[in-house]
């Protein structure tokens, strides 16, 4: 049955789904369903459709809607589903919101516009205000665009001034910005971490959950880390952080959508092809990922790829 969740229900490890494509660039629905089931079997606390890890920057509105629809069918109300909206204008963002808002999602993950130009603060607030006016689905601001990066002060202002803006996904390597958000947030705000190299300290600082490409690559290991922090087992958590950091260093590259798909494939998830022009995983990358992954996941659980 279809069930939606409140923003407060979205917590823990919430991986962005990869989007499997055929070699010709067609959505591979069968592999997508299998990958979603893999994620659910790992015990994830929620999923994101159409995020950066899912090549959401390349998806048509129709593809985003179909991916979201498939994810909602497979999840069947068991965990929250977030739809990613990555668009270069308020108009296009609203079109994507309209396409997914009736598909059983619990939140929208929305970026600022991202094609080279910096948006001034009032225009940025107007962007999110106009999107929020089009839907009753809560919005998480996806703070990831390097040249259109929102300060903690502006993000906190958006959460105070725009009804419907429920939280932030804080990306890039800026741990201080996440810390500033945490101390400035009100009890109802939701602050999610996406600082892949520093997820352990993000959890310790009190992030309500993690939505990041590393959670996509190894969801089970991130759940172990989350659970360890929650029970106060920092010896295990620090050790897992170090193993995950080595894996992140192997995955992190300009083709990290492809390296993440390769990492998932090693665990038995059918991830298909990546849209061109993203480069294929090199032999050196494959070897580094295999070595680092074997320190995170028992070798007998790896399938080979």
């Amino acid at each position: 049955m279809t069930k939606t969740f409140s923003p407060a229900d979205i917590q823990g490890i919430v991986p962005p789904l990869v989007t499997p494509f055929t070699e010709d660039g067609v959505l591979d629905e069968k592999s997508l369903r299998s990958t979603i089931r893999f994620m659910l079997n790992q015990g994830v606390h929620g999923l994101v459709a159409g995020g950066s890890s899912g090549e959401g920057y390349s998806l048509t509105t129709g593809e985003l809607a179909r991916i979201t629809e498939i994810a909602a069918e497979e999840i069947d109300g068991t965990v929250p589903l977030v739809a990613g909206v990555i668009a270069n204008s308020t108009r296009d963002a609203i079109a994507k919101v309209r396409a997914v808002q009736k598909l059983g999602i619990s939140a929208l993950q929305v970026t600022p516009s991202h094609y080279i130009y910096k948006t001034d603060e009032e225009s940025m607030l107007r962007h999110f205000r106009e999107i929020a006016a089009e839907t009753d689905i809560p919005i998480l601001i996806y703070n990831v665009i390097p040249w259109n990066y929102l300060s903690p002060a502006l993000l906190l202002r958006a959460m105070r001034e725009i009804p419907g803006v429920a939280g932030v996904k804080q990306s890039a390597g800026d741990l201080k910005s996440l810390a500033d958000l945490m101390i400035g947030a009100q009890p109802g705000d939701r602050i999610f971490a996406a600082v892949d190299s520093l997820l352990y300290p993000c959890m310790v600082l009190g992030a309500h959950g993690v939505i990041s490409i590393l959670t996509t690559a190894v969801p089970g290991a991130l759940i172990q880390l989350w659970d360890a922090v929650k029970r106060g087992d920092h010896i295990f958590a620090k050790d897992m952080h170090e193993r995950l950091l080595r894996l992140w260093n192997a995955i992190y590259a300009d083709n990290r959508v492809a390296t993440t798909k390769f990492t998932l494939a090693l665990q038995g998830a059918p991830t298909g092809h990546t849209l061109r022009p993203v480069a294929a995983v090199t032999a050196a990358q494959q070897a580094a990922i295999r070595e680092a992954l074997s320190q995170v996941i028992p070798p007998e659980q790896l399938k080979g790829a």
Side-chain angles (χ1 to χ4, degrees):
M1 66 178 183
T2 300
K3 177 183 176 182
T4 56
F5 298 81
S6 73
D9 296 320
I10 305 172
Q11 55 83 40
I13 304 304
V14 186
L17 289 164
V18 296
T19 304
F21 291 98
T22 68
E23 191 172 3
D24 295 331
V26 176
L27 177 63
D28 182 348
E29 295 191 3
K30 181 178 179 181
S31 292
L32 175 60
R33 290 183 186 276
S34 295
T35 299
I36 294 167
R37 291 179 200 133
F38 169 85
M39 290 289 179
L40 294 174
N41 289 337
Q42 294 287 304
V44 298
H45 304 118
L47 287 169
V48 178
S52 298
S53 306
E55 299 169 78
Y57 46 82
S58 298
L59 299 175
T60 67
T61 299
E63 286 171 331
L64 174 62
R66 182 58 181 151
I67 291 163
T68 304
E69 182 178 39
I70 289 170
E73 290 172 0
E74 293 296 330
I75 289 171
D76 194 26
T78 56
V79 296
L81 173 62
V82 179
V85 173
I86 303 175
N88 268 317
S89 69
T90 308
R91 178 199 66 178
D92 291 350
I94 288 172
K96 288 189 173 184
V97 168
R98 288 173 175 168
V100 301
Q101 65 181 345
K102 302 300 184 184
L103 299 177
I105 61 174
S106 298
L108 295 154
Q109 177 184 279
V110 185
T111 63
S113 61
H114 56 279
Y115 180 70
I116 72 176
Y117 300 112
K118 176 79 174 173
T119 306
D120 67 79
E121 291 194 357
E122 294 306 318
S123 297
M124 183 69 73
L125 291 173
R126 180 180 177 182
H127 173 70
F128 287 106
R129 188 176 290 112
E130 290 184 354
I131 295 168
E134 293 289 331
T135 183
D136 59 358
I137 305 295
I139 291 171
L140 306 175
I141 296 176
Y142 182 12
N143 194 27
V144 68
I145 311 302
W147 47 87
N148 221 352
Y149 205 52
L150 281 62
S151 68
L154 183 58
L155 291 164
L156 292 166
R157 186 180 167 196
M159 287 187 281
R160 298 289 75 77
E161 296 182 13
I162 305 174
V165 174
V168 175
K169 173 185 169 180
Q170 181 63 27
S171 297
D174 191 351
L175 188 61
K176 183 179 186 301
S177 289
L178 184 130
D180 287 339
L181 283 169
M182 294 305 306
I183 64 172
Q186 293 185 359
D189 298 334
R190 307 302 287 173
I191 310 300
F192 295 91
V195 186
D196 282 286
S197 60
L198 297 168
L199 293 179
Y200 169 43
C202 289
M203 293 176 188
V204 173
L205 286 171
H208 298 107
V210 179
I211 305 174
S212 78
I213 198 166
L214 193 55
T215 68
T216 303
V218 280
L222 263 297
I223 290 168
Q224 291 181 53
L225 177 60
W226 176 264
D227 290 345
V229 173
K230 289 300 179 183
R231 68 175 179 265
D233 185 353
H234 292 284
I235 294 175
F236 177 90
K238 184 175 182 294
D239 176 68
M240 178 60 82
H241 156 73
E242 292 173 354
R243 288 182 278 151
L244 287 168
L245 181 56
R246 293 186 184 98
L247 178 60
W248 176 241
N249 290 340
I251 290 172
Y252 183 78
D254 288 334
N255 65 337
R256 56 188 171 275
V257 172
T259 57
T260 298
K261 285 185 172 181
F262 178 76
T263 306
L264 276 171
L266 288 173
Q267 298 165 75
T271 54
H273 293 266
T274 301
L275 291 176
R276 294 184 293 275
V278 174
V281 183
T282 66
Q285 286 177 321
Q286 291 184 23
I289 290 169
R290 288 179 192 275
E291 171 60 27
L293 185 60
S294 70
Q295 304 305 309
V296 174
I297 294 173
E300 63 270 17
Q301 293 181 16
L302 302 180
K303 312 294 183 180

